[in-house]
Amino acid sequence: RRLRGEIPFPENLVVTNGEPDTALDRDAGPEQRGCEAGCVGTGGKALEEWDFSACVIDEATQATEPACLIPLTKGIESLLLVGDPMQLPPTVISPEAEGAGLGVSLFERLQRGGLEPHMLAVQYRMHPAICDFPSKQFYNGRLESHPKPYDRMPPKSIQWPDEKRPIMFVDIQEGAEKAGGENTSYSNEHEASVVTEIVMSLLEDGKLRKGDIGIITPYRGQVTMLNSKLEAQGLIRKMQSSGQASAPAKPASFKANVLASNQLETEELEVKTVDGFQGREKEVIIFSTVRSNAQGRVGFLTDQRRLNVALTRARRGLVVVGNSLTLCNDPTWAAWLKVIRQNQLDVMCQIDDDGDDGQVP
């Protein structure tokens, strides 16, 4: 909004979304002033004869530098990179490639070189109380909240410790993490059971749709565990939990595909990794942290950028489920837990003697 009037509309424009191979908007034609495509898609045959005077790359901090260079071969004179360097960087599987610098985005490289980014400091998503900690911890207190508390009233189907601060930490100190095959991922069955109970409570009065709730976790093993628990309660369909959600047939155009995808997201309960939820939002987010061990190991929960993403997806309510005795071993988590306790936003969840999970407000 603040950029309006500062950047002249170019003669023609290509907009990419940082995704490596998103399909081109096939409804676009040479007579139009712009088109949409993924970074890699701009180098495809469909745009072989096209040149552009300007390029906007959205989610640029998640795109690898080589991917961002592809649209720049199209005669680009002006480049606008849009992204958040305090959130997740490009996903690089190879440790060797990561070590060689592939995990550094073009956005970050330019920033390191002295190009100061223009910060859009007003956030339009979160209840101000949800925004408060991320603003102070990750953005030097510079984030301003446009929504007022009455614009983001928390759902009343669960009992929040403080309705003026729609944040809850459910402390499960007796649950235990479980490593997957070859220690490649982790799950926590007790947390998954508690999350399922919270979802059922949120949906009880019928004022929230399933699509209003997002469940995120750092580990794919926990995604599988959560899907199993939710499916057993009829909260998600079997095909959805196996990763074969019954999405509509692929539409003919990029725009129609986006609209169909958005419609599916508003109807279904979603369970994803934190990395898979960057750029997304829901009315209520439930964050299952998983790690629970006597050694205080928190794994890549130490990544501040991943924590920043997890804490900033919710519009009206944020529920974090975890073991405070484990999480407090990381400085950033310790700072968050300190704020939670100072404001009395934590609730204890005891495991019953018969192994059932205790009651959650």
Side-chain angles (χ1 to χ4, degrees):
R1 294 169 186 247
R2 292 186 178 180
L3 292 178
R4 185 178 299 161
E6 297 179 22
I7 299 178
F9 196 91
E11 191 66 28
N12 51 27
L13 174 72
V14 59
V15 179
T16 80
N17 63 358
E19 293 294 328
D21 199 19
T22 303
L24 172 70
D25 180 353
R26 299 184 185 280
D27 289 340
E31 74 284 354
Q32 293 185 329
R33 303 182 77 179
C35 75
E36 297 173 90
C39 284
V40 174
T42 59
K45 192 170 183 179
L47 288 178
E48 192 173 15
E49 305 298 326
W50 289 37
D51 277 330
F52 302 91
S53 59
C55 175
V56 178
I57 302 181
D58 193 16
E59 296 291 355
T61 52
Q62 271 200 295
T64 63
E65 190 169 23
C68 287
L69 295 179
I70 296 173
L72 303 190
T73 65
K74 307 298 293 181
I76 301 299
E77 299 173 4
S78 301
L79 173 65
L80 177 61
L81 301 175
V82 182
D84 186 347
M86 298 307 298
Q87 296 196 3
L88 291 172
T91 300
V92 179
I93 304 300
S94 166
E96 292 81 5
E98 177 80 29
L102 188 60
V104 179
S105 66
L106 178 60
F107 188 113
E108 186 178 353
R109 191 177 301 280
L110 292 172
Q111 190 176 12
R112 289 180 182 180
L115 185 60
E116 185 68 23
H118 178 92
M119 180 174 176
L120 300 178
V122 180
Q123 68 88 13
Y124 294 85
R125 172 184 297 150
M126 296 169 278
H127 186 290
I130 299 175
C131 176
D132 188 56
F133 178 83
S135 176
K136 293 175 180 176
Q137 185 72 25
F138 307 119
Y139 301 100
N140 297 317
R142 295 173 62 191
L143 279 186
E144 304 172 25
S145 292
H146 181 270
K148 305 301 180 187
Y150 54 77
D151 296 322
R152 298 288 186 267
M153 295 296 290
K156 297 186 179 298
S157 46
I158 62 173
Q159 183 181 344
W160 300 92
D162 181 353
E163 288 193 0
K164 295 181 180 179
R165 296 174 177 267
I167 305 167
M168 181 194 304
F169 176 62
V170 182
D171 197 352
I172 310 177
Q173 297 183 1
E174 299 177 42
E177 66 186 41
K178 181 179 179 181
E182 299 181 359
N183 295 329
T184 55
S185 190
Y186 288 86
S187 62
N188 187 317
E189 186 173 4
H190 288 305
E191 279 194 21
S193 296
V194 170
V195 168
T196 301
E197 186 179 335
I198 294 170
V199 171
M200 294 172 67
S201 296
L202 284 167
L203 295 172
E204 192 170 9
D205 65 2
K207 294 184 178 180
L208 278 180
R209 302 169 299 172
K210 290 181 181 179
D212 292 328
I213 303 170
I215 304 172
I216 57 177
T217 179
Y219 295 98
R220 294 187 183 278
Q222 186 71 347
V223 170
T224 301
M225 177 67 71
L226 286 162
N227 278 327
S228 175
K229 295 285 186 180
L230 294 165
E231 182 190 326
Q233 295 296 328
L235 295 169
I236 60 174
R237 292 173 289 178
K238 185 173 183 179
M239 288 182 66
Q240 182 186 347
S241 67
S242 64
Q244 302 173 10
S246 54
K250 187 176 181 180
S253 74
F254 178 81
K255 290 179 181 177
N257 192 28
V258 170
L259 290 172
S261 176
N262 289 343
Q263 181 180 4
L264 185 67
E265 289 166 3
T266 61
E267 295 173 353
E268 300 292 345
L269 180 66
E270 287 190 84
V271 184
K272 292 184 180 293
T273 61
V274 175
D275 299 51
F277 224 85
Q278 178 154 312
R280 302 281 309 287
E281 64 181 47
K282 292 287 185 178
E283 298 299 312
V284 178
I285 287 290
I286 306 171
F287 179 24
S288 173
T289 60
V290 179
R291 301 309 297 265
S292 179
N293 56 76
Q295 296 75 29
R297 295 191 299 262
V298 297
F300 53 52
L301 284 173
T302 58
D303 188 336
Q304 293 194 37
R305 294 172 296 187
R306 185 169 279 107
L307 178 57
N308 187 19
V309 171
L311 297 181
T312 55
R313 302 302 96 197
R315 287 165 52 85
R316 296 168 53 200
L318 171 65
V319 181
V320 179
V321 181
N323 183 341
S324 63
L325 298 179
T326 299
L327 296 175
C328 70
N329 289 278
D330 174 74
T332 308
W333 274 102
W336 185 80
L337 287 168
K338 181 179 179 180
V339 172
I340 291 297
R341 287 168 175 157
Q342 285 175 341
N343 292 281
Q344 299 181 333
L345 301 177
D346 53 331
V347 296
M348 291 295 298
C349 182
Q350 301 290 338
I351 307 300
D352 297 337
D353 293 338
D354 59 2
D356 292 334
D357 298 293
Q359 294 296 312
V360 178

